[in-house]
Amino acid sequence: MDHQALVRLSKRMSLALRHEPGRFGLVPDRGGWVPVDALLSGLRMSRANLDAVVTGNDKQRFAVEWGPDGVERIRASQGHSIPVDLGLIPATPPDRLYHGTGRAALTSILDTGLRRGERHHVHLSPDVDTARRVGARRSGPVVVLTVDAAAMTRDGHLFFRSANGVWLTDRVPAAYLTP
Ligand code: HQG
């Protein structure tokens, strides 16, 4: 499979596992897991292609494991809009985290802080390069905001780290942001 086909498939898997499982006949459990076989038939994809996406994914978006019932299962590691309990445990973040976005959003963000929107959390990156790539998904110039995660932690905000290294928190008030 070429790179573009991998990306297309990864997006369809993200849609099915994070946002619209019902459209593909899937019923994720509380933790967001679905049987691998159900995903394969729901998306009419081969096991080889699934493995290629899971192992070749730039962000390791998907986790595959054997469930307690002996059934192999898959879920997205973050980014859901459907209700899921990922079982994340609060963790101490690095002192600074980063958020990449489009410049068009900057005034609003500096006014009201970072909001989670449709997702369960605000997503933050551990380094500037990753944040820049996240921001480049928006049209127009990219801005990377620095988040004072040390101060947020001192003030009682909770942080979680997804299985693929994305830092998550409920919201980031504007006072902790530097453009
Ligand atoms: C913006 C991708 C105006 C925010 C990435 C972002 C990430 C505001 C957009 C993950 C705002 C939401 C998440 C405010 C936030 N006013 N705009 N007050 N607060 N925004 O996609 O962080 O490829 O839900 O800046 O790599 O861009 O899907 O969040 O531009 O890890 O695995 O509202 O999604 O991962 O957009 O990206 P998103 P995000 P995947």
Side-chain angles (χ1 to χ4, degrees):
M1 220 184 344
D2 66 25
H3 179 69
Q4 278 191 340
L6 265 181
V7 170
R8 270 200 305 275
L9 202 47
S10 170
K11 290 194 170 175
R12 267 172 73 71
M13 287 168 58
S14 291
L15 181 65
L17 294 171
R18 293 171 169 176
H19 307 298
E20 297 189 32
R23 216 169 111 177
F24 302 91
L26 299 170
V27 184
D29 72 6
R30 281 191 54 208
W33 298 101
V34 304
V36 169
D37 286 344
L39 185 72
L40 295 180
S41 48
L43 269 68
R44 296 194 196 140
M45 65 191 290
S46 70
R47 176 67 201 230
N49 283 352
L50 179 133
D51 289 341
V53 172
V54 171
T55 57
N57 203 255
D58 55 342
K59 268 182 70 181
Q60 302 294 311
R61 287 180 181 82
F62 308 102
V64 176
E65 63 168 43
W66 291 97
D69 52 2
V71 174
E72 199 181 18
R73 59 190 192 170
I74 182 167
R75 76 174 178 188
S77 291
Q78 34 71 229
H80 302 77
S81 58
I82 55 165
V84 286
D85 178 359
L86 294 175
L88 298 171
I89 296 159
T92 306
D95 287 353
R96 287 197 188 77
L97 288 167
Y98 303 91
H99 181 84
T101 189
R103 193 151 80 207
L106 189 59
T107 310
S108 165
I109 290 172
L110 292 179
D111 192 27
T112 59
L114 286 170
R115 293 181 304 219
R116 63 199 172 92
E118 298 284 302
R119 304 197 197 237
H120 292 208
H121 297 100
V122 169
H123 287 224
L124 302 172
S125 307
D127 58 80
V128 175
D129 282 353
T130 307
R132 201 170 290 288
R133 278 197 296 277
V134 173
R137 290 153 55 243
R138 310 285 153 208
S139 57
V142 175
V143 289
V144 174
L145 296 157
T146 301
V147 176
D148 189 347
M152 285 183 69
T153 303
R154 271 198 303 278
D155 296 344
H157 290 266
L158 290 183
F159 286 84
F160 307 88
R161 187 179 175 280
S162 72
N164 60 336
V166 178
W167 283 93
L168 307 166
T169 193
D170 280 351
R171 65 197 172 89
V172 180
Y176 301 103
L177 292 167
T178 316

